[in-house]
Amino acid sequence: MTDLFKKARWSPYLVGTLLGVLSWITFYFMEKALGTSTTMVKVAGLAEGVVSESHVRNNDYMAKHLVGTPAIDWQFALVLTMGFGAFIAARLARSRFSETVPEVWAARFGPSKAKRYIGAFLGGAILLFGARLAGGCTSGHGISGSLQLALSSWTFLLSMFAAGTAAAFLIYGKEGRAHV
Amino acid sequence: MFDSNFFAEPRDLIYGALTGLVFGFLLQKGGVTRFQTIVGQFLMRDHTVMKVMFTAIIVGGIGIYGMVDAGVALKMHIKSATLWGNALGGVIFGVGMALLGYCPGTGVAALGDGSKHAIYGILGMIFGSALYAELHPWFKTHVLQVSDLGKETLASSTGISPWWFLAALAIGAILGFMRLERWELRRGRGVKTSAA
């Protein structure tokens, strides 16, 4: 058992199985489904609320997530501890690393940290915009929704994979592909 | 703040925190907290993401529908089929994911794995949600309300038992992944699980 924890990578099938079992547990014992992107809306709304509470109240979308409902909820707690869970996993196997500019990115855009940070920011913004429009992300739709066979989630999953593949080939091209 | 308790029930928070620990732990062990793995999937060089996701979907689905069939009172969490929103959102999401190299969950977990640039990705995510909140009214009228079929599933919208879908997914995954594993072995590009 300890040997397993010391392994840097587990079989993707084992990890997938355990994520499936984790979903059984959250559905059955917690009446919840794995998800993460709603929390980003809450964080954004809380930040806006510090400056102007009325702005949050007057925005239907923000109000739906923050008015009359707790700001810090089950999913918020989950997002807060996820990084720590990954940290423990990496430390147990001594596989934690430090990355500022990924190799594939550098192969295409050079070693500039600033460029990568801007790219990451833009990517994150586009990503969450899409998640909110779709009503979920890779966890809420991709795993939780798809396992319930939701029509919405399978529509999301297929378009996400198709667009991600096309975008990656356009963004990283041959230079990037040679470095994966 | 905002006419409600700021915090949910302690039990909810503890459950959420525990789930987050396990979720983050598993994502890291699966290698999907790495930019290389996510972009590698989109560049069709490393199929870890597909293997993890489809296994989770199939195992999860069998358990959830198994419980439903066994008469367990299970609260389902099906999101509305606003098909244009799901499709367009999915396309935008895919582009963002290719650029960032993480999705929201794996991005947060990547911080714990040592990714520094993920911080900027998370700041971007917060900005992206704020931006969407401003534009939501327009998308609601022009995209989301165009086609809203409600909380439909593949089973409910076709009248076919969910078990047929789960069986098809399971058989497809087993055959597909067996072929993929043989092919990866031949190319010597297997996932680096065994080497570790």
Side-chain angles (χ1 to χ4, degrees), chain B residues 147-191:
Chain B
S147 146
D148 185 350
L149 306 180
K151 297 183 188 305
E152 291 283 346
T153 67
L154 299 176
S156 65
S157 60
T158 55
I160 299 169
S161 160
W163 292 104
W164 284 109
F165 288 98
L166 289 171
L169 275 172
I171 292 166
I174 290 168
L175 295 178
F177 288 142
M178 273 170 63
R179 276 187 73 115
L180 185 61
E181 291 295 331
R182 275 201 303 271
W183 178 74
E184 284 179 341
L185 210 64
R186 268 206 312 275
R187 284 183 67 204
R189 292 198 57 96
V191 188

Side-chain angles (χ1 to χ4, degrees), chain A residues 5 7-13 15-20 22 24 26-34 36 40-41 43-44 46 48 53 55-57 59 61-62 66-74 77-79 81-87 89-90 92-93 95-100 102 104-105 116-117 119-121 123-135 137-142 146-152 154-157 159-161 163-165 167-169 171-172 177 179-180, chain B residues 1-8 12-13 15-17 19-21 23-31 34-36 39-45 48 51-57 59-61 63-65 67 72 74-81 83 85-100 102-105 108-109 111-117 120-121 123-130 132-136 139 144 149 152-154 162 165 169 177 181 189 191 193 196:
Chain A
F5 284 127
K7 259 179 83 169
R9 287 281 289 269
W10 288 0
S11 152
Y13 306 112
V15 171
T17 302
L18 293 174
L19 286 173
L22 183 63
W24 304 351
T26 63
F27 268 74
Y28 183 75
F29 290 103
M30 312 178 190
E31 297 192 331
K32 298 279 193 268
L34 292 176
T36 47
M40 298 299 167
V41 180
V43 175
L46 286 173
E48 287 177 5
E53 194 178 317
H55 185 79
V56 177
R57 285 183 183 278
N59 181 300
Y61 194 75
M62 282 297 180
L66 286 163
V67 177
T69 180
I72 313 295
D73 60 359
W74 182 85
L78 176 149
V79 171
T81 56
M82 270 183 100
F84 194 58
F87 175 82
L92 284 173
S95 67
R96 199 164 181 273
F97 73 151
S98 177
E99 184 182 77
T100 45
V104 186
W105 176 277
R116 173 56 197 154
Y117 292 164
F121 184 90
I126 297 169
L127 182 76
L128 239 292
F129 193 95
R132 291 341 297 165
L133 179 58
C137 61
T138 349
S139 4
H141 264 319
S146 302
L147 71 84
Q148 295 172 91
L149 304 174
L151 195 56
S152 52
W154 280 94
T155 309
F156 169 83
L157 192 63
S159 41
M160 181 273 273
F161 263 114
T165 304
F169 274 90
I171 297 171
Y172 304 105
R177 206 160 182 253
H179 284 81
V180 178
Chain B
M1 199 150 114
F2 306 129
D3 315 332
S4 156
N5 290 334
F6 190 68
F7 292 100
D12 265 359
L13 297 179
Y15 277 171
T19 307
L21 279 179
F23 194 19
F25 188 98
L26 291 174
L27 293 177
Q28 201 280 341
K29 286 295 183 203
R34 300 274 160 114
F35 176 100
Q36 192 92 356
V39 171
Q41 173 68 67
F42 286 144
L43 291 173
M44 296 197 260
R45 285 274 176 164
T48 307
K51 293 175 192 170
V52 170
M53 284 194 74
F54 279 93
T55 312
I57 291 168
V59 172
I64 298 302
Y65 279 102
M67 283 193 263
V72 176
L74 208 61
K75 187 184 169 209
M76 294 296 263
H77 304 267
I78 293 159
K79 296 170 196 246
S80 244
L83 293 182
N86 305 139
L88 181 61
V91 167
I92 296 172
F93 188 95
V95 173
M97 190 164 162
L99 195 55
L100 174 58
Y102 304 110
C103 56
V108 173
L111 281 183
D113 194 19
S115 166
K116 304 277 185 286
H117 53 110
Y120 296 89
L123 291 175
M125 290 180 209
I126 297 166
F127 177 77
S129 5
Y132 179 76
E134 298 304 320
L135 301 176
H136 176 70
F139 281 98
L144 300 177
L149 306 180
E152 291 283 346
T153 67
L154 299 176
F165 288 98
L169 275 172
F177 288 142
E181 291 295 331
R189 292 198 57 96
V191 188
T193 36

